Amino acid sequence: MTVVTRAVRCFLTLSLAVPAAWLPAQSAMQQKAVLVTGASSGIGRKVTEYLASHGFFVYAGARSQKDLDDLNAIKNVQSLRLDVTVPADIAAAVATVTKAGRGLYGVVNNAGVVVVAPLIEADEKDLDYIFGVNLYGPYRITKAFAPLILETKGRVVNISSLNGIVASPMLGAYSMSKHAVEAYGDALSAELSRFGVRVSLIEPGNYGTEIGKNVLARMDTAVVKGSRFEPQMRATLNQMRSFENNPPPDEVAEAVFDALSSSRPKPRYLVVPVASQGAIAIRKVFDNAVQLNDGQKFSYTRDQLVQMLDDALARNKQRR
């Protein structure tokens, strides 16, 4: 028997002798872990299921025991009792994830709520509520898990909204919170890029979720009657009720997956079920540019504006 043959047999013997229990642990260490907040339903549930079925281990945040149990039944998912407004829940989630030893590659800040009310009639407590979840939630979660994300040079994905670009009547508080999430994402991206952490914003359109049902469950509908905006409020509520009939948010989950897995994730993902919603967002951006340029001391000509657009398109192409 040659020396090479003996060496090969020795290697195979040692390999077979490795305890079987060690192999899954090794695999788990190589599997990237991601935290998803607001994972009990809608976009959060779809993102959780999609990531778990495409190679990620998902820590899924939810509040009710039933939702926690349902999430635990999904392969590659571990539920966490997590209310993004409760510091004790966040601290316990950090401790659980840290103790598990998988590390944490990504955070998907999805938890969100909606308030339907005209701004001149909305209670201040409603603004505190919506900002506490939609804006301070991502801030608290990302800050708490930042040491783990920095260690892995991972990703932060913030679920914004079409309303982060376009402000809608009767949804002013929600639009305000999502505009703030856009600013938060941009600033966070600039700050964390030097550490190798990439930050993306997802702007979903009107997909099929239970958002309308959730709004009505929390809302005192008595405030609608007698409001000077009663017709507009009822129209908005009726529109939100119909969201359940829209296409499921599969495309949103695919965008989140790309933001977490691509070597060059996009800073923004506008994901809409119909072309008209995308057109609304893009036209709004152009309208803002035109309004900013109109009559200001250093206004640009049309040709200069077109050149700026060409330059932006070229930079985006290089980024990809």
Side-chain angles (χ1 to χ4, degrees):
M1 183 183 297
T2 67
V3 174
V4 173
T5 302
R6 285 197 298 271
V8 170
R9 287 189 175 181
C10 180
F11 172 78
L12 291 173
T13 301
L14 289 172
S15 299
L16 293 172
V18 173
W22 181 85
L23 295 175
Q26 178 74 357
S27 177
M29 291 297 290
Q30 293 172 349
Q31 189 179 36
K32 290 180 178 177
V34 175
L35 169 70
V36 178
T37 67
S40 60
S41 64
I43 289 174
R45 179 60 179 257
K46 182 64 68 173
V47 167
T48 296
E49 293 172 347
Y50 191 91
L51 295 180
S53 66
H54 285 75
F56 285 94
F57 184 89
V58 182
Y59 294 104
R63 293 179 298 171
S64 77
Q65 188 58 52
K66 181 181 184 307
D67 290 334
L68 294 168
D69 293 341
D70 289 346
L71 289 165
N72 275 332
I74 304 172
K75 184 179 179 181
N76 289 325
V77 173
Q78 177 181 339
S79 68
L80 297 174
R81 189 175 300 279
L82 184 56
D83 184 325
V84 299
T85 69
V86 178
D89 279 9
I90 297 172
V94 171
T96 298
V97 173
T98 302
K99 185 178 179 180
R102 290 186 176 86
L104 191 69
Y105 183 74
V107 167
V108 181
N109 288 309
N110 167 73
V113 294
V114 179
V115 170
V116 177
L119 289 172
I120 64 171
E121 295 180 0
D123 289 334
E124 190 170 319
K125 63 180 176 60
D126 290 333
L127 269 68
D128 289 339
Y129 167 65
I130 200 166
F131 271 79
V133 177
N134 294 4
L135 178 60
Y136 289 122
Y139 158 77
R140 295 185 191 105
I141 291 295
T142 304
K143 183 177 181 180
F145 285 94
L148 292 170
I149 297 296
L150 290 169
E151 184 178 345
T152 59
K153 291 181 169 50
R155 306 286 170 87
V156 177
V157 180
N158 296 310
I159 305 297
S160 179
S161 170
L162 190 65
N163 280 92
I165 303 166
V166 180
S168 299
M170 304 303 109
L171 295 173
Y174 179 72
S175 297
M176 289 163 63
S177 72
K178 291 301 186 178
H179 273 66
V181 167
E182 294 279 316
Y184 171 71
D186 285 343
L188 188 70
S189 177
E191 292 172 357
L192 297 187
S193 61
R194 64 188 291 259
F195 299 106
V197 175
R198 305 292 293 271
V199 178
S200 296
L201 286 155
I202 313 288
E203 290 104 347
N206 299 333
Y207 285 91
T209 68
E210 297 180 354
I211 189 169
K213 184 187 297 182
N214 294 336
V215 168
L216 289 170
R218 288 189 297 264
M219 184 176 179
D220 177 9
T221 53
V223 302
V224 178
K225 190 173 182 180
S227 167
R228 57 177 62 82
F229 297 94
E230 182 175 347
Q232 293 92 329
M233 291 181 71
R234 292 196 183 281
T236 300
L237 290 170
N238 287 334
Q239 182 183 29
M240 296 187 72
R241 285 190 187 97
S242 70
F243 279 9
E244 291 186 61
N245 301 321
N246 292 348
D250 296 2
E251 295 168 325
V252 182
E254 291 168 6
V256 172
F257 178 79
D258 188 80
L260 290 168
S261 61
S262 173
S263 60
R264 293 186 177 183
K266 298 195 298 183
R268 278 177 167 78
Y269 294 78
L270 179 63
V271 191
V272 295
V274 293
S276 59
Q277 292 178 21
I280 289 171
I282 302 302
R283 285 197 181 102
K284 177 59 178 175
V285 172
F286 282 132
D287 284 344
N288 285 350
V290 169
Q291 292 167 18
L292 286 168
N293 189 60
D294 184 28
Q296 61 109 341
K297 184 178 179 180
F298 304 102
S299 292
Y300 296 96
T301 67
R302 177 188 180 280
D303 288 343
Q304 289 173 321
L305 290 172
V306 171
Q307 184 59 55
M308 285 183 175
L309 176 59
D310 287 340
D311 292 343
L313 290 170
R315 286 194 300 272
N316 189 66
K317 186 175 181 180
Q318 290 176 351
R319 185 185 298 119
R320 297 295 291 166

